[in-house]
Amino acid sequence: MSHMGILLGVFILVWAGLTAGFGLYLQTRCARYLERGSASFFALSQITYPNAAVIFDAAIAIKCFGVGVSYLIIIGDLMPGVVRGFSENAGGVSFLVDRHFWVTGFMLIVIPLSFLRRLDSLKYTSVIALISIGYLVILVLAHFFKGDTMKDRGIIRVIQWDGFVPTLSSFPVIVFAYTCHQNMFSILNEINNNSHFRTTSVVVASTGVAGFIYILVAITGYLSFGNAVAGNIMGMYTPSVTSTIGKAAIVMLVMFSYPLQVHPCRASVDAVLKWRPRRTVDSPNGSPSRSVSSLPSGKPGQSKGDGMGETRFAAITTLIIVLSYIVAMTVASLDKVLAYVGSTGSTSISFILPGLFYYKISSPDSPHHQRLMKEDDDEWDAPEGEEDEDETLLSRMGPRGSSWRKKLLRRLSLALAPIDNPYLALSEAYFEDGLVERARAWV
């Protein structure tokens, strides 16, 4: 807000949320072309751009690894301050204010969580992370309505912005804030009801709630401090028990978010290691099967898992944990880590890949698309009793009556990647402005 002003800042937050949500929606559409429970970026790459699959998965693995490292760095940076906030004499105990001690200590907590195979196994820790977010939001709102920050408040800009380059430098952080696409396919594989209505509801609810919280905190935080607001708003409040708890809440949030990065990173590393150049395999009737990704088949309606043996699963997970720990212990700066993540990895996963995959696989000339349309026609001709309750309203128009919507969706999917291409040029501006504290606040 300090760079963009309130109006432009809100517009950018809404626009980024809409485009990120559209990317998630395209992932739900792409998953229809794959066997139930086997959706992944690797599986899509195998039936769209098979020889580039290793590049896509390598980018996802690097992105998730970088985010996981940034979480550990944040823990190491914030915990000494949290300890000092609870005890003024903590500074006399050297290891309590040593970032290496806290990174090591919290690693012992997240290691068991990182070895869980399914995302829904992390639902209870995710609830704790959501409670932490709720506390942070309430804290910002409480200080805003209390008005105890007005004496330090700078000027308020509603329309005027700070210039082109400062505004652009904030984009990678905003993109990073909405990035959750690396886990979307795992959610689609594990969700009990993967109907179009239900998955779309998940996308709308998640991006909508996130966008609302971002806008609410951005506006109230900016109105509390004006242009004097810093990236880490928690550090601007008068030291107290409540602000110290807020810093501890950030630590809890990123700690329980670390396993959510290990999960897709492990899957992508496994895909990279298994990748071999291959030719498209056609079925005898000339139309490739929807399971052309060569992933193991399973019962309909069930997630097929990651397909990794116990030894391979443990080895890859251990490698990710050890490497991220080494990097977090040796690198004390977040700026370059989050700059690359926000300006390259996040944009690729959130915008470019979903758009490219859907445009390629939904082409009318694509045998995968033709096969899916045939199956949709068969479902349309099926008895009414077999129709899914959630799909009733959506299917009344029939598959043929919605052809114009499918054409529009393909054009929008192709436009999604070019829309986000300017983000890729922002890392240099991000480096120069030194926005590490702002990145911490958004994380």
Side-chain angles (χ1 to χ4, degrees), residues 58-80:
I60 296 171
I62 294 173
K63 181 266 175 189
C64 296
F65 179 81
V67 175
V69 169
S70 70
Y71 289 160
L72 297 178
I73 294 176
I74 290 173
I75 292 174
D77 290 346
L78 291 184
M79 277 308 299

Side-chain angles (χ1 to χ4, degrees), residues 226-265:
N227 262 37
V229 67
N232 185 3
I233 195 172
M234 291 294 112
M236 298 193 66
Y237 295 125
T238 302
S240 63
V241 175
T242 56
S243 62
T244 301
I245 295 176
K247 295 177 182 178
I250 296 177
V251 173
M252 296 292 290
L253 173 62
V254 298
M255 176 183 69
F256 289 127
S257 297
Y258 178 84
L260 296 177
Q261 299 300 323
V262 174
H263 188 279
C265 183

Side-chain angles (χ1 to χ4, degrees), residues 27 41 119 180-188 260-261 263-264:
Q27 287 183 257
F41 282 105
L119 278 181
C180 59
H181 301 64
Q182 67 274 5
N183 285 322
M184 187 60 188
F185 285 129
S186 296
I187 294 174
L188 294 175
L260 296 177
Q261 299 300 323
H263 188 279

Side-chain angles (χ1 to χ4, degrees), residues 132-149:
S132 301
I133 294 175
Y135 179 84
L136 293 171
V137 173
I138 293 174
L139 183 62
V140 174
L141 292 177
H143 281 285
F144 170 70
F145 288 113
K146 187 177 180 181
D148 57 356
T149 62

Side-chain angles (χ1 to χ4, degrees), residues 15 38 100 105-106 131 147 151 164 166 175 218 225 250 257 277-278 281 312 319 327-328 339 348 357 366 382 397:
W15 177 251
S38 66
H100 299 96
F106 277 89
I131 293 174
K151 60 180 180 180
F164 185 71
V175 174
F225 294 100
I250 296 177
S257 297
R278 55 171 292 177
V281 180
R312 187 184 186 90
L319 178 65
V327 174
S348 299
F357 282 148
S366 169
M397 296 179 61

Side-chain angles (χ1 to χ4, degrees), residues 179-197:
T179 301
C180 59
H181 301 64
Q182 67 274 5
N183 285 322
M184 187 60 188
F185 285 129
S186 296
I187 294 174
L188 294 175
N189 292 338
E190 298 178 15
I191 193 171
N192 291 329
N193 182 356
N194 71 332
S195 65
H196 177 265
F197 176 82

Side-chain angles (χ1 to χ4, degrees), residues 79-90:
M79 277 308 299
V82 172
V83 174
R84 290 191 184 99
F86 285 120
S87 176
E88 296 180 355
N89 299 324

